[in-house]
Amino acid sequence: MTALVSAFSRAYHSIHNTEKVFDDYLAKDILTQSEYEQIASNMSKGIKFFNPSFEGTQDEALRWIVDNQLSPSPLGRAAFTEKSLKNAVRIGAEQYLIFAAGYDTFAYRQPEWASKIQIFELDHPIMSSDKQKRIRSIMAEKPSNLHYISADFTEDDWERNLIAYPAFDQSKISFCSLLGISYYLSKLDFAQIIDTVSNIVPKGSSIVFDYPDENAYTSKAGERAKKQMAMAGAANEKMLASYSYVELQQLLGDSNFLIYEHLTPSEITEQYFKKYNQSNPKHTITAFDNVNYCLAVKR
């Protein structure tokens, strides 16, 4: 459900804006018309949950919910990741590993510079099967540099499946995105994934991920963070962990990763939402409360 809502938020943003934070123009095609309309209806009807004092039409309610609650994280982290990926490819990365790929559409709208890399989508087999079925309905054939890897990140099969896959080369510098993962894994499981990644990629490889800070699930959390936790709980997708910067630095260091770039919500808003906000003063978007972005490189 969170993957569907994430795709919906990216689709809505792409359709309804000229100046975009991030343009996922394929997200709408990933969803059926019925799914898109159902999510839109459910969200707009829930405006009093998100904003008890809101007054306006259903369309205005949906716009408020998307801009304030649904899209900040999917848009911001995608923009950060693909900018970081482009730079990584420029300096030598040859493989892009998308962990818990969900309905990510990068491989299907990849720019010319990405044609030189191998792209691996790692996800649960049920999710991956559904994704591939949706893609077949909008594309005649998948890109030749795209590969699907079956992965359950609470088990250790994903590592074996990846290493055994013929197109994957452990000697090649890799860029790994782990977006939206840290929330739903225990600290031990997340640390184990980072450590496993470190063991199968060479020096100079990088990882990028978003994570909730140490106040995310406390009384100090912002209202949006509290709403997001409630939504995830209602979808039976409980959020399990949060991290301080020092704790994160230690976790990464234990697996030979050094933080290369780290952005707080205010920094994310300044770097990735400013231009959009200047063009849309009535519909501004700010980075999500208590969520930071991190790019780390293996030493």
Side-chain angles (χ1 to χ4, degrees), residues 146-167:
L146 172 63
H147 314 277
Y148 299 110
I149 308 293
S150 177
D152 181 342
F153 299 113
T154 62
E155 305 291 340
D156 60 4
D157 67 321
W158 70 266
E159 178 187 6
R160 293 193 301 269
N161 293 346
L162 177 61
I163 293 174
Y165 195 85

Side-chain angles (χ1 to χ4, degrees), residues 227-243:
K227 301 294 186 186
Q228 199 73 8
M229 188 163 61
M231 285 175 63
N236 199 30
E237 297 177 356
K238 187 177 181 181
M239 296 181 174
L240 298 176
S242 59
Y243 304 84

Side-chain angles (χ1 to χ4, degrees), residues 18-275:
T18 301
E19 178 65 46
K20 309 177 204 300
V21 174
F22 177 79
D23 187 12
D24 190 345
Y25 56 85
L26 284 181
K28 179 65 164 64
D29 296 331
I30 287 283
L31 304 173
T32 65
Q33 186 65 26
S34 175
E35 286 172 333
Y36 186 89
E37 292 173 355
Q38 189 65 50
I39 293 173
S41 175
N42 289 344
M43 288 298 169
S44 61
K45 290 176 181 176
I47 183 62
K48 293 302 181 181
F49 167 75
F50 294 106
N51 184 353
S53 62
F54 180 85
E55 298 292 338
T57 67
Q58 289 293 292
D59 286 344
E60 290 169 339
L62 180 60
R63 175 93 197 204
W64 190 95
I65 292 169
V66 172
D67 288 348
N68 287 273
Q69 190 74 37
L70 304 185
S71 70
S73 283
L75 296 177
R77 69 192 185 194
F80 176 67
T81 296
E82 293 190 14
K83 178 183 177 182
S84 301
L85 171 64
K86 184 178 182 179
N87 185 58
V89 171
R90 183 180 61 81
I91 60 176
E94 297 182 77
Q95 299 179 141
Y96 179 27
L97 279 60
I98 309 174
F99 287 74
Y103 299 124
D104 184 284
T105 64
F106 175 79
Y108 314 97
R109 53 177 171 76
Q110 57 179 289
E112 190 281 329
W113 55 261
S115 63
K116 68 183 73 172
I117 63 174
Q118 297 300 308
I119 303 170
F120 302 86
E121 292 193 355
L122 295 87
D123 214 333
H124 192 283
I126 295 175
M127 182 72 197
S128 183
S129 177
D130 179 69
K131 164 83 165 286
Q132 292 176 55
K133 182 173 70 173
R134 292 170 186 266
I135 290 298
R136 284 194 294 270
S137 71
I138 61 176
M139 302 187 88
E141 58 183 43
K142 74 177 183 68
S144 59
N145 62 336
L146 172 63
H147 314 277
Y148 299 110
I149 308 293
S150 177
D152 181 342
F153 299 113
T154 62
E155 305 291 340
D156 60 4
D157 67 321
W158 70 266
E159 178 187 6
R160 293 193 301 269
N161 293 346
L162 177 61
I163 293 174
Y165 195 85
F168 179 69
D169 188 337
Q170 285 187 257
S171 69
K172 291 182 177 179
I173 292 177
S174 298
F175 183 94
C176 310
S177 69
L178 295 87
L179 304 180
I181 292 179
S182 66
Y183 311 81
Y184 305 106
L185 295 176
S186 68
K187 291 185 177 182
L188 177 60
D189 284 341
F190 186 58
Q192 287 179 336
I193 286 182
I194 299 295
D195 195 55
T196 302
V197 170
S198 180
N199 289 333
I200 60 178
V201 299
K203 176 183 177 181
S205 294
S206 43
I207 56 173
V208 64
F209 58 93
D210 53 332
Y211 74 95
D213 69 24
E214 68 270 34
N215 294 319
Y217 309 140
T218 71
S219 59
K220 296 180 180 180
E223 284 304 311
R224 291 188 296 176
K226 294 176 183 176
K227 301 294 186 186
Q228 199 73 8
M229 188 163 61
M231 285 175 63
N236 199 30
E237 297 177 356
K238 187 177 181 181
M239 296 181 174
L240 298 176
S242 59
Y243 304 84
S244 69
Y245 181 85
V246 172
E247 188 176 16
L248 186 76
Q249 194 175 38
Q250 181 66 51
L251 182 154
L252 291 167
D254 288 344
S255 297
N256 292 315
F257 279 103
L258 290 173
I259 295 176
Y260 180 80
E261 186 174 8
H262 182 273
L263 298 180
T264 63
S266 61
E267 292 168 332
I268 295 165
T269 298
E270 175 66 22
Q271 290 192 34
Y272 292 98
F273 297 103
K274 184 177 182 179
K275 190 175 179 181

